[in-house]
Amino acid sequence: MTGFSHQLPPTVESIGVALAEAAMRLTHCSTLVVVRDPATQEASIVAASVGTDRRLLGMPVEPGSAAGRACVGNVIREASGMEDLLGSARDDRRHREGQGVAFGIRDADTSIGALVVLAPLQMIDGSTLDRLLTLIDEAGQLIGQRLAARFAREMGLIDAITGNPNGPALKKAMREWVLKRCSLVSMAVDQVLTLDIDRGNAILKQVASLLRNNLRDYDVPARTGGEEFALFLPDTGLDGAVVVADRVRKAVGEWEFELDREWNATCSLGVASIPETVSEVDDLMEAAAGARVEARESGPNRIATLH
């Protein structure tokens, strides 16, 4: 990715620092990164390039300022001074009277923050501007992912053992899906209950990672309790969901799990879909779980659907 390490930075703040430094190298100007909290909708400065006043870090950004307005739209806002740029008088006298420009940061359709360059827009030539906007787009995706994960943890939507979405997160995602076409795969790891809790949790963590690696970014691989997972597949019909379930079944069966001894697992999976199996999203879970029970009763390492 342009200006970033290939290894994903672990936090919103570290991604912000990487963006601020990369933007400074492009523009040869001091930069700030502003991020809007998804829970409170309040914006604050999370990163600054080297040489920029560190006292600005953590300061709130007022909604009516140029940076504040850039945070809520994919826009470019110019300002004549720090007060106009960030809101209220700042103590950074080196930049107080200077000009600046705020570029909105987005993740897909969601406005999440702004990159502030402490220089007039006319100082940035066309080629540099194009590269800067590409950089902002790339950073926006990463920041958006981290914000979503942080918000989910704060709202109690993350399973503490696996780090995957939990049951409430699954229900939330299913109810927010506005189109009818979707599928749910109910899955149980067959042998986990034969292990002690520490070994069982180690297996669940590895299964959760396998699920994330075998699904699309917008699928929801939730742990719903015990040895059970549920995979919500938006815009996926029954046939497509069975293909996904089989891919997961094979991935689990072929994986050599890391324990204090060699250990292999299988899983039982049930698949239900709208409109092929049921007509309402609230009925998907029961239908998929019923199919999973049928698969398990037929023997391990199987997939079943209810008709």
Side-chain angles (χ1 to χ4, degrees):
M1 289 183 298
T2 305
F4 288 103
S5 164
H6 289 288
Q7 182 177 1
L8 293 184
T11 66
V12 170
E13 290 74 18
S14 59
I15 298 169
V17 169
L19 173 58
E21 292 298 317
M24 182 185 70
R25 289 193 295 271
L26 274 177
T27 62
H28 305 289
C29 300
S30 295
T31 62
L32 302 167
V33 175
V34 177
V35 170
R36 191 157 54 97
D37 187 288
T40 65
Q41 300 300 306
E42 295 178 352
S44 62
I45 299 169
V46 300
S49 61
V50 171
T52 307
D53 194 333
R54 312 305 290 178
R55 292 173 296 176
L56 294 171
L57 290 174
M59 286 189 174
V61 170
E62 294 185 2
S65 66
R69 294 195 301 273
C71 282
V72 295
N74 190 21
V75 295
I76 300 174
R77 300 283 185 177
E78 293 188 80
S80 58
M82 291 295 280
E83 184 172 354
D84 187 25
L85 189 59
L86 302 173
S88 71
R90 306 286 168 167
D91 292 331
D92 187 359
R93 298 184 184 277
R94 290 172 293 173
H95 296 298
R96 180 176 298 207
E97 302 305 327
Q99 291 180 282
V101 56
F103 300 86
I105 301 175
R106 295 174 68 84
D107 176 25
D109 295 328
T110 304
S111 298
I112 58 175
L115 171 71
V116 177
V117 178
L118 299 177
L121 182 59
Q122 59 265 29
M123 284 186 59
I124 306 173
D125 62 56
S127 174
T128 299
L129 182 59
D130 289 342
R131 293 166 63 194
L132 185 63
L133 293 176
T134 298
L135 190 70
I136 291 169
D137 285 343
E138 293 176 349
Q141 295 176 30
L142 301 183
I143 292 172
Q145 292 170 12
R146 295 300 186 268
L147 285 175
R150 178 187 290 178
F151 182 69
R153 287 193 300 271
E154 291 173 352
M155 297 299 291
L157 299 176
I158 293 294
D159 176 61
I161 292 173
T162 65
N164 276 28
N166 59 16
L170 174 67
K171 292 179 181 178
K172 183 175 183 292
M174 291 171 63
R175 288 171 179 165
E176 288 178 351
W177 180 245
V178 295
L179 302 179
K180 283 293 183 181
R181 182 182 173 87
C182 59
S183 295
L184 189 73
V185 178
S186 181
M187 167 185 164
V189 185
D190 294 319
Q191 296 85 357
V192 164
L193 295 182
T194 66
L195 300 171
D196 62 56
I197 189 167
D198 290 336
R199 290 184 176 90
N201 286 346
I203 296 300
L204 292 174
K205 290 178 184 178
Q206 293 174 63
V207 169
S209 179
L210 282 174
L211 295 179
R212 293 192 296 268
N213 291 336
N214 280 277
L215 297 178
R216 301 167 297 187
D217 289 343
Y218 54 87
D219 295 331
V220 181
R223 181 186 176 222
T224 51
E227 80 282 23
E228 296 176 6
F229 293 83
L231 319 178
F232 179 55
L233 310 175
D235 197 26
T236 304
L238 184 62
D239 290 343
V242 170
V243 170
V244 172
D246 193 51
R247 184 167 70 240
V248 167
R249 180 189 66 81
K250 290 177 180 176
V252 172
E254 294 170 358
W255 188 256
E256 295 182 3
F257 288 89
E258 297 178 6
L259 287 178
D260 51 8
R261 58 183 172 83
E262 185 177 335
W263 201 85
N264 296 98
T266 59
C267 56
S268 302
L269 305 103
V271 184
S273 299
I274 295 174
E276 294 95 328
T277 310
V278 295
S279 58
E280 298 295 334
V281 72
D282 288 341
D283 298 325
L284 268 178
M285 181 70 76
E286 183 178 355
R292 186 202 71 234
V293 170
E294 183 178 295
R296 205 170 207 179
E297 289 176 349
S298 301
N301 205 28
R302 294 178 184 270
I303 301 169
T305 62
L306 294 184
H307 300 287

